[in-house]
């Protein structure tokens, strides 16, 4: 589950005009089905901020009053992320404004320098291949086996709900809860209560929102605190204690992983499957070809952009793409513009090195939780591939975009198995 570098992006005011419908690669290829659906998903989540960000896509760098310097060029964005002397996650307008009041000062999302590096090294073993496999496989409520069984039996399933339940089971593993149905639902509801407060048009949370978020987080992490104190190495908090983290550091890390990673996984897999359906890529996505799957997954990440924006505070005067900035200025990296500039979904297209994995950050702040995120994605795709092993193809039916969420996603996405020969033209099932 990725620990994102993003924070809230302020609503872009009248300086940026509303987005217009236009052709070209920057718009993901005009009106193809996956473009239309992705636009609906994005606008449902952020009806004001998303069009405003997209309206800046043709300007590599532009200063927006009351917002900051908006970067829409991948190469420049990567330069900013790697320049630790001039840009920081701590300071005015940075992620620290959002996360420190809720999670405390010692989480990777709001740290820099030697302390950040030390905590990252300490947490590293939690995201080893073996550790993430154990966490993802601990599906005590049988979400993914049930998904395979129901699809293979000819039922229509809600993929969005299944992925939400699977993500909830991982949350339970993170906080030391047994993954029962009630625990999964409670954990997901708690996480969504907090992330739902974060909007792209807010620089931070209000005092009442901070108080509410702290109360919810305290309830969510209470089992983690107990597991930490018990020192059980079979639990993630217990392993954090073994690794030398203080209780405060461990609780902050658990909270950060839960809050910043939950919606990312919940969002991405249904959107990837929908895009594969709309572009005729479903059979190849689920084929027994790890390299082909990895290309399709990474291209799906580029198109959906799990972190639509990243924030940095300027530490010392410099320039960004030729635009002068001073200490205290705010830089908004419009990752959605940087990543989508290459065009629509095409796993066969060579990847621009400046764009590669940019949605997970760059440099010392590159997403520590990426291995866990990829393990969760693979687990769901494996379940779908197992259902389709008899020759069927998963087909998307009715779908609805989610509103009031931090990471754009589907509220529901109907999926059923059909004989390959009967599958209609991509996009025709809606």
């Amino acid at each position: 589950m990725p620990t994102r570098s993003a924070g809230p992006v302020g609503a872009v005011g009248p300086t940026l005009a509303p987005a217009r419908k236009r052709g070209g690669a920057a718009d993901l290829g005009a009106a193809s089905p996956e473009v239309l659906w992705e636009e609906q998903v994005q606008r449902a989540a952020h009806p004001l901020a998303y069009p405003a960000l997209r309206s800046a896509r043709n300007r590599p760098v532009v200063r927006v009053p009351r917002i900051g310097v908006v970067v829409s060029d991948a190469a420049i964005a990567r330069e900013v992320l790697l320049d630790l002397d001039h840009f920081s996650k701590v300071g005015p307008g940075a992620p620290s404004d959002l996360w420190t009041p809720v999670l405390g000062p010692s989480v990777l999302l709001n740290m820099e320098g030697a302390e950040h590096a030390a905590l990252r090294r300490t947490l590293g073993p939690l995201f080893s291949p073996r550790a993430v496999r154990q966490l993802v496989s601990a599906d005590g409520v049988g979400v993914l086996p049930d998904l395979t069984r129901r699809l293979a039996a000819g039922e229509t399933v809600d993929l969005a709900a299944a992925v939400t339940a699977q993500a909830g089971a991982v949350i339970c593993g993170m906080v030391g809860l047994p993954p029962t149905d009630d625990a999964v639902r409670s954990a997901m509801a708690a996480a969504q209560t907090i992330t739902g407060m974060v909007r792209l048009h807010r620089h931070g949370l209000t005092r009442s929102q901070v108080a509410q978020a702290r109360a919810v987080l305290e309830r969510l992490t209470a089992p983690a605190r107990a597991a930490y104190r018990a020192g059980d190495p079979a639990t993630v908090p217990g392993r954090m204690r073994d690794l030398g983290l203080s209780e405060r550091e461990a609780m902050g890390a658990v909270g950060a992983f839960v809050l910043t990673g939950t919606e990312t996984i919940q969002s991405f897999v249904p959107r990837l499957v929908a895009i594969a359906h709309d572009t005729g890529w479903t059979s190849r996505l689920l084929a027994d070809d790890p390299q082909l799957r990895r290309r399709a997954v990474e291209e799906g990440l580029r198109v959906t952009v799990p972190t639509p924006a990243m924030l940095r505070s300027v530490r010392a005067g410099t320039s960004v793409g030729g635009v002068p900035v001073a200490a205290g200025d705010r830089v908004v990296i419009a990752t959605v513009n940087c990543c989508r500039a290459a065009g629509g979904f095409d796993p066969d297209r060579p990847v621009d090195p400046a764009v590669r994995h940019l949605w997970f950050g760059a440099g010392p702040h590159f997403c520590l939780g990426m291995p866990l995120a990829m393990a969760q994605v693979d687990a769901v795709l494996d379940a779908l591939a197992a259902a389709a092993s008899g020759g069927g193809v998963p087909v998307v039916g009715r779908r609805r975009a989610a509103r009031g969420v931090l990471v754009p996603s589907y509220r529901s996405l109907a999926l059923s198995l059909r004989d390959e020969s009967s599958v209609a033209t991509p996009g025709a099932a809606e």
Side-chain angles (χ1 to χ4, degrees):
M1 99 187 28
T3 49
R4 295 168 293 170
S5 299
V9 176
V12 180
T15 303
L16 297 182
R20 298 185 297 274
K21 292 184 179 179
R22 54 196 300 178
D27 293 281
L28 297 183
S32 56
E34 79 276 16
V35 173
L36 295 177
W37 276 109
E38 275 296 303
E39 284 294 304
Q40 286 195 36
V41 169
Q42 293 277 3
R43 289 170 183 266
H46 301 290
L48 298 177
Y50 172 74
L53 279 181
R54 291 296 284 156
S55 73
R57 66 187 178 274
N58 294 323
R59 287 170 282 184
V61 182
V62 58
R63 181 180 289 276
V64 181
R66 301 187 303 276
I67 301 304
V69 175
V70 179
V71 178
S72 297
D73 178 87
I76 298 173
R78 191 172 292 275
E79 290 176 2
V80 170
L81 294 175
L82 294 176
D83 185 353
L84 306 183
D85 292 331
H86 294 97
F87 306 99
S88 174
K89 295 176 71 174
V90 180
S96 58
D97 279 357
L98 171 68
W99 296 116
T100 299
V102 177
L103 297 169
S106 300
V107 294
L108 293 177
L109 297 167
N110 58 3
M111 297 175 70
E112 289 285 5
E115 290 184 352
H116 171 269
L119 181 57
R120 186 181 175 94
R121 283 195 301 271
T122 302
L123 291 170
L126 295 176
F127 298 96
S128 68
R130 179 181 178 183
V132 298
R133 281 197 302 269
Q134 289 178 341
L135 195 56
V136 172
S137 64
D139 183 4
V141 290
V143 175
L144 298 185
D146 186 59
L147 174 65
T148 299
R149 178 190 62 77
R150 292 179 60 196
L151 281 173
E155 296 183 38
T156 297
V157 301
D158 182 353
L159 183 62
V163 174
T164 297
Q166 192 254 359
V170 172
I171 288 180
C172 288
M174 291 293 292
V175 303
L177 281 171
T180 63
D181 287 342
D182 288 343
V184 168
R185 284 195 294 268
S186 177
M188 285 301 299
Q192 290 169 345
T193 296
I194 299 176
T195 57
M197 298 177 188
V198 181
R199 311 303 301 149
L200 290 180
H201 64 272
R202 293 181 184 142
H203 288 210
L205 301 179
T206 66
R207 289 184 179 180
S208 62
Q209 287 174 328
V210 168
Q212 181 183 353
R214 283 178 173 172
V216 172
L217 192 63
E218 182 63 30
R219 293 196 300 272
L220 179 61
T221 58
R225 195 176 300 277
Y228 176 90
R229 293 175 179 176
D232 183 357
T235 66
V236 171
R239 289 200 294 276
M240 287 182 173
R241 179 172 176 172
D242 284 348
L243 291 171
L245 271 71
S246 68
E247 182 173 313
R248 186 180 73 170
E249 289 173 331
M251 295 307 99
V254 167
F257 293 143
V258 167
L259 297 184
T260 63
T262 302
E263 285 198 63
T264 301
I265 297 303
Q266 181 185 351
S267 160
F268 175 62
V269 176
R271 289 167 72 186
L272 172 65
V273 171
I275 289 171
H277 165 84
D278 293 337
T279 57
W281 258 86
T282 304
S283 294
R284 282 174 285 179
L285 174 65
L286 301 181
D288 187 16
D289 185 336
Q291 291 186 348
L292 185 62
R293 176 190 287 190
R294 185 56 56 210
R295 292 207 313 269
V297 168
E298 292 196 358
E299 178 69 350
L301 286 165
R302 183 191 67 80
V303 171
T304 59
V305 198
T307 308
M310 300 179 186
L311 302 180
R312 291 295 186 269
S313 181
V314 178
R315 302 177 67 176
T318 184
S319 64
V320 178
V323 176
V325 294
D329 280 352
R330 185 175 191 242
V331 176
V332 179
I333 297 174
T335 328
V336 67
N337 295 341
C338 299
C339 294
R340 284 181 156 191
F345 181 81
D346 182 4
D348 292 325
R349 180 194 299 116
V351 178
D352 180 353
V355 174
R356 186 174 178 80
H357 294 158
L358 187 63
W359 47 88
F360 283 144
H365 291 293
F366 186 82
C367 176
L368 178 64
M370 187 188 77
L372 179 56
M374 294 299 94
Q376 288 182 263
V377 172
D378 278 335
V380 179
L381 294 182
D382 285 345
L384 297 180
S389 60
V393 177
V395 173
V396 174
R398 299 180 67 87
R399 43 181 136 168
R400 288 187 295 169
R403 300 183 183 279
V405 293
L406 174 59
V407 181
S409 61
Y410 283 107
R411 180 181 177 185
S412 62
L413 186 102
L415 200 68
S416 59
L417 216 58
R418 293 191 192 172
D419 184 84
E420 191 165 5
S421 62
S422 68
V423 175
T425 302
E430 287 71 40

